[in-house]
Amino acid sequence: MTSTLRTLTVPLDVESSPGGLPSFLVRDDVLCWSRREAGLVGYGELTRFNATGPERFLEADIWWRHLILEAEITDHVELPGTGPVAFGSFAFSKTSPHVSRLILPELVVGIRDGRAWATQLTFDDRPLTEAGVLASVERWLTEPEPNGDGSAAEGSDVGLSPEVVSQDGGSGHLSHGSLSEANWMKAVADGVEEIRAGKLEKLVLARDVVATLPDGVNAAEVLRQLAARYRECWTYGVDGLVGATPEMLIQVEGRTAQARVLAGTLDRRDAEGVDDSPMAYAERVLAGSEKQRHEHEIAIDSLTRQLAPFSEAMNSHSEPFILELPNVWHLASDVKAELADIEGHVPTCLALINALHPTAAVCGTPTLVAGALIRKLEHLDRGPYAGPVGWLDAAGNGEWGIALRGAVIEDANTVRLYAGCGIVEGSQPEAELAETWAKFRPMLEALGIKR
Ligand SMILES: C=C(O[C@@H]1C=C(C(=O)O)C=C[C@H]1O)C(=O)O
């Protein structure tokens, strides 16, 4: 055993996995980042870095750079996500006791642009060979989990149709988390008061609900269902945190950084029975609403302002577009930046996250005022909810979403779901409560809970 990380990346035959990346989601303990048929799945855990507090991103950055500095990397594929990769999830709040983490798996399988690969990672001295990597893939896909029956792969249909997904598993039930619905609506009303009093412009308030599943939680099945149904979203799974987020905090590929900013939400169920076509309805109610546009502008401004010092050039849509998901529509904007050299280096993903998080989309504006009010009104430790979740590689590439539309698997039968809403001057507590239910829907459906 040495302390030097060694990795070998070899191509995999894509033809042998026609279901794309989701067909590798066969264990409850996988690390996952997936969109459409592409992404990364991690197996096992070689080591991890833990941190809490305001310096959590920069401490993680130092740990990662140190680890890969001496690493012996053999990479026969050379794409973003090949070579050593760490998966991570960070607490939303700098004051949270929740532990932020970067996890280095023993094996990573990746698919991108029609190419597939596997990377084996090790700290020991035995030679890494192509045959060894392929045998390791085989082992992780077929060996039973320590505490599971390993049957997740059997009979699983990764191309799940929406009808199958929406069938009711039946036995689960829900209870409220930190605040009752009435108390949460009171918190929203108090937030609106503060905005009216001129203390801040926008505030994002979240709440939690607890799902109890007597038959147990099948995390791999949850990930497969989210990936099959929320194809526009990034499905993530890191150490019990699972979900499918539509919001990209920062994606770095070489010198190019991209973000997808959302703010402004409309429940698609609200369009049932209206005369317009659903999209015309979304255009009218969402893109045509002063309140929603205002909320969106605040979110875009805060992101572009924070990204500007790291960028040589930046562009974003002049008009937001409507992002259609199975549960809701959002007002969305994509921002693209060419990263500048800072002290001779392209900024790392974690340095960018350190500057960007928390965005107005999940905290509010001004950030410090909104953050303090969230602590006062929510009565909730957000844990990893609304924090960055994603992966990074040794070349500086990475994808970090905002952990929304997700949940924390607390034990074999308990899952805590989180959802929040941007509050501005015109917000109505009841409408915001309804919006949280629309945002809980992806996870409720994946867990088989009807409401
Ligand atoms: C806070 C959440 O979502 C955020 C808030 C939105 C809004 O208020 O319109 C839209 C997308 C996200 O930026 C959540 O899903 O929990």
Side-chain angles (χ1 to χ4, degrees):
M1 188 94 172
T2 66
S3 59
T4 308
L5 174 66
R6 293 184 311 116
T7 71
L8 174 62
T9 302
V10 300
L12 280 185
D13 177 13
V14 209
E15 306 291 304
S16 65
S17 49
L21 197 83
S23 58
F24 291 94
L25 300 170
V26 294
R27 303 169 56 98
D28 285 340
D29 58 0
V30 285
L31 295 154
C32 162
W33 181 264
S34 156
R35 187 175 190 236
R36 302 192 179 134
E37 277 71 39
L40 298 169
V41 180
Y43 303 88
E45 181 177 326
L46 210 50
T47 185
R48 71 167 61 201
F49 175 78
N50 288 335
T52 52
E55 302 302 325
R56 60 200 182 288
F57 304 116
L58 295 180
E59 286 169 10
D61 195 24
I62 291 168
W63 177 79
W64 178 244
R65 282 192 283 149
H66 192 254
L67 186 75
I68 58 175
L69 193 68
E70 310 257 289
E72 291 169 18
I73 303 169
T74 311
D75 184 351
H76 298 305
V77 180
E78 294 193 354
L79 285 173
T82 61
V85 162
F87 292 78
S89 143
F90 287 82
F92 171 81
S93 169
K94 59 182 181 225
T95 62
S96 172
H98 179 82
V99 176
S100 299
R101 59 205 76 182
L102 281 184
I103 301 174
L104 193 70
E106 292 170 43
L107 176 78
V108 178
V109 169
I111 298 186
R112 184 194 168 101
D113 305 333
R115 294 174 71 189
W117 66 88
T119 301
Q120 198 173 358
L121 303 92
T122 185
F123 282 118
D124 73 30
D125 299 323
R126 272 172 297 170
L128 288 168
T129 63
E130 176 159 7
V133 180
L134 299 179
S136 169
V137 174
E138 194 56 34
R139 218 171 29 249
W140 280 107
L141 292 181
T142 51
E143 240 174 41
E145 288 179 63
N147 299 316
D149 59 7
S151 63
E154 284 164 33
S156 74
D157 177 2
V158 289
L160 284 168
S161 68
E163 296 84 274
V164 173
V165 171
S166 63
Q167 262 174 20
D168 190 2
S171 59
H173 65 268
L174 279 181
S175 47
H176 71 72
S178 315
L179 291 182
S180 66
E181 292 195 352
N183 283 339
W184 189 76
M185 285 194 286
K186 168 85 175 64
V188 172
D190 291 347
V192 171
E193 277 309 305
E194 300 280 331
I195 294 167
R196 290 208 175 120
K199 303 215 178 104
L200 73 171
E201 229 183 321
K202 173 180 172 173
L203 171 67
V204 180
L205 287 179
R207 67 188 195 98
D208 56 338
V209 291
V210 180
T212 307
L213 296 132
D215 296 341
V217 185
N218 182 339
E221 181 62 19
V222 167
L223 292 173
R224 287 195 300 266
Q225 296 218 14
L226 290 171
R229 204 159 141 70
Y230 286 83
R231 291 174 54 78
E232 274 305 306
C233 298
W234 291 270
T235 295
Y236 55 87
V238 178
D239 220 14
L241 171 70
V242 291
T245 183
E247 188 145 0
M248 176 56 69
L249 178 62
I250 201 79
Q251 186 172 36
V252 177
E253 206 182 304
R255 304 192 72 95
T256 307
Q258 277 182 277
R260 172 164 285 179
V261 182
L262 308 179
T265 305
L266 185 60
D267 189 346
R268 287 186 59 183
R269 286 192 181 162
D270 291 352
E272 285 164 20
V274 297
D275 291 339
D276 302 351
S277 76
M279 209 37 163
Y281 174 78
E283 290 280 354
R284 182 164 56 80
V285 179
L286 206 52
S289 151
E290 265 306 291
K291 170 188 172 272
Q292 304 273 18
R293 302 275 301 226
H294 178 56
E295 212 180 304
H296 191 75
E297 265 157 36
I298 293 174
I300 280 283
D301 286 352
S302 90
L303 184 101
T304 50
R305 210 174 322 117
Q306 297 305 114
L307 195 54
F310 299 93
S311 311
E312 258 166 19
M314 201 184 328
N315 59 50
S316 61
H317 299 262
S318 53
E319 282 287 303
F321 64 96
I322 292 188
L323 176 70
E324 182 170 88
L325 303 178
N327 58 331
V328 293
W329 287 289
H330 284 301
L331 271 186
S333 295
D334 288 337
V335 177
K336 195 171 184 176
E338 282 308 302
L339 295 171
D341 276 338
I342 312 273
E343 291 163 13
H345 301 283
V346 176
T348 63
C349 287
L350 290 167
L352 292 171
I353 291 172
N354 185 55
L356 298 175
H357 176 82
T359 64
V362 289
C363 180
T365 358
T367 311
L368 289 178
V369 184
L373 209 49
I374 285 171
R375 280 195 289 281
K376 184 172 148 207
L377 295 177
E378 273 183 0
H379 297 281
L380 171 72
D381 179 0
R382 289 187 174 190
Y385 160 74
V389 61
W391 64 271
L392 78 182
D393 71 12
N397 306 300
E399 293 179 282
W400 291 86
I402 303 182
L404 303 175
R405 319 299 146 84
V408 174
I409 300 171
E410 294 188 333
D411 62 45
N413 303 95
T414 317
V415 182
R416 189 176 297 270
L417 290 71
Y418 299 83
C421 306
I423 311 293
V424 289
E425 199 169 353
S427 297
Q428 305 286 339
E430 266 144 46
E432 302 303 335
L433 183 73
E435 188 174 312
T436 60
W437 281 116
K439 289 172 170 170
F440 284 133
R441 213 177 290 144
M443 277 307 302
L444 291 176
E445 286 170 351
L447 292 167
I449 295 179
K450 273 246 167 79
R451 195 196 148 257

